[in-house]
Amino acid sequence: DTEVTQTPKHLVMGMTNKKSLKCEQHMGHRAMYWYKQKAKKPPELMFVYSYEKLSINESVPSRFSPECPNSSLLNLHLHALQPEDSALYLCASSQPTGGIIDSPLHFGNGTRLTVT
Amino acid sequence: GQQVMQIPQYQHVQEGEDFTTYCNSSTTLSNIQWYKQRPGGHPVFLIQLVKSGEVKKQKRLTFQFGEAKKNSSLHITATQTTDVGTYFCAETSYDKVIFGPGTSLSVIP
């Protein structure tokens, strides 16, 4: 069982669609992350929110738009995606310590996204 | 930029054999975390190493951090089929957690 919940589990969308991925955690963590993972590859960092503020954007294309409405929720808005964006999208949370991270990431089960 | 390398990329072992994966960095690491991802699953945190030369054990798993904090290893004694999965080391730096390429372990019963 995971304490980070992601919805939906699976999503198929066309290149002209707009959709959103959702992530929720109730562990009191104040850092939340989006990762993208292609098959047989490591998770690739996309965005980091720390205390509800975007702290890191790893040069992600603007067709991916993150949002952190509050400390428990993280969204990823998708628009005009390409087939190569098909992947597993993982949300994670941790407790920031104001410096070097020394708390583990807790991952959700991910959303399997297919862009047609 | 930050980058850790892992070897081997794949490892197939007979059940009961030992397994080791190595994580190497060209720069000194603040600390290192290890994760395991089962097929079809999500990464699960195993351990964090912070101190130079640190050794930590979890049952059959032994984790080491090099004296220069540029390398780390994970050793599994007497592998079991439940050990199947991909093992990632990850370097951490302030808000970033960057994963190495991983070692995929297969265990033949």
Side-chain angles (χ1 to χ4, degrees):
Chain A
D1 286 343
T2 178
E3 295 175 88
V4 179
T5 303
Q6 288 188 244
T7 55
K9 291 184 179 180
H10 301 275
L11 178 62
V12 180
M13 60 185 291
M15 290 188 285
T16 58
N17 292 159
K18 286 185 180 181
K19 297 286 184 183
S20 297
L21 309 184
K22 297 186 182 300
C23 176
E24 187 170 7
Q25 58 91 11
H26 293 289
M27 293 180 284
H29 290 167
R30 300 303 297 275
M32 295 187 77
Y33 306 73
W34 281 114
Y35 283 85
K36 172 184 177 180
Q37 187 175 28
K38 303 280 270 185
K40 300 189 185 302
K41 295 293 186 182
E44 179 184 341
L45 183 63
M46 299 176 72
F47 302 104
V48 181
Y49 275 83
S50 182
Y51 296 95
E52 295 91 67
K53 287 184 170 40
L54 183 65
S55 61
I56 293 175
N57 176 343
E58 291 286 271
S59 303
V60 179
S62 60
R63 58 185 184 269
F64 296 91
S65 176
E67 179 195 20
C68 189
N70 59 55
S71 60
S72 300
L73 293 174
L74 184 66
N75 300 320
L76 186 63
H77 303 297
L78 315 172
H79 174 55
L81 294 194
Q82 304 297 311
E84 58 265 29
D85 296 321
S86 299
L88 179 68
Y89 288 84
L90 292 160
C91 172
S93 69
S94 74
Q95 192 63 287
T97 57
I100 302 291
I101 289 180
D102 62 3
S103 67
L105 295 182
H106 295 256
F107 283 88
N109 288 327
T111 294
R112 179 76 59 185
L113 175 67
T114 303
V115 181
T116 61
Chain B
Q2 300 167 312
Q3 191 171 11
V4 290
M5 302 305 295
Q6 276 186 262
I7 53 171
Q9 186 177 2
Y10 301 98
Q11 184 80 59
H12 306 277
V13 300
Q14 202 76 34
E15 188 173 17
E17 292 181 339
D18 292 356
F19 160 76
T20 304
T21 173
Y22 300 90
C23 182
N24 298 298
S25 172
S26 58
T27 59
T28 301
L29 301 167
S30 303
N31 56 39
I32 198 154
Q33 297 178 348
W34 284 91
Y35 292 80
K36 175 184 178 181
Q37 186 172 20
R38 295 179 185 270
H42 59 274
V44 175
F45 174 78
L46 295 176
I47 205 96
Q48 175 165 276
L49 304 172
V50 179
K51 299 178 183 176
S52 169
E54 190 170 15
V55 178
K56 287 188 177 181
K57 292 190 176 185
Q58 290 179 350
K59 297 182 180 178
R60 295 179 293 104
L61 278 60
T62 301
F63 303 84
Q64 291 189 326
F65 204 6
E67 293 290 342
K69 297 184 73 173
K70 288 187 175 182
N71 55 73
S72 180
S73 65
L74 158 58
H75 179 82
I76 302 178
T77 303
T79 54
Q80 300 175 359
T81 55
T82 52
D83 296 324
V84 166
T86 301
Y87 292 84
F88 295 102
C89 63
E91 60 174 317
T92 68
S93 175
Y94 294 91
D95 281 345
K96 286 190 179 185
V97 180
I98 305 297
F99 285 76
T103 295
S104 178
L105 173 64
S106 299
V107 179
I108 305 163

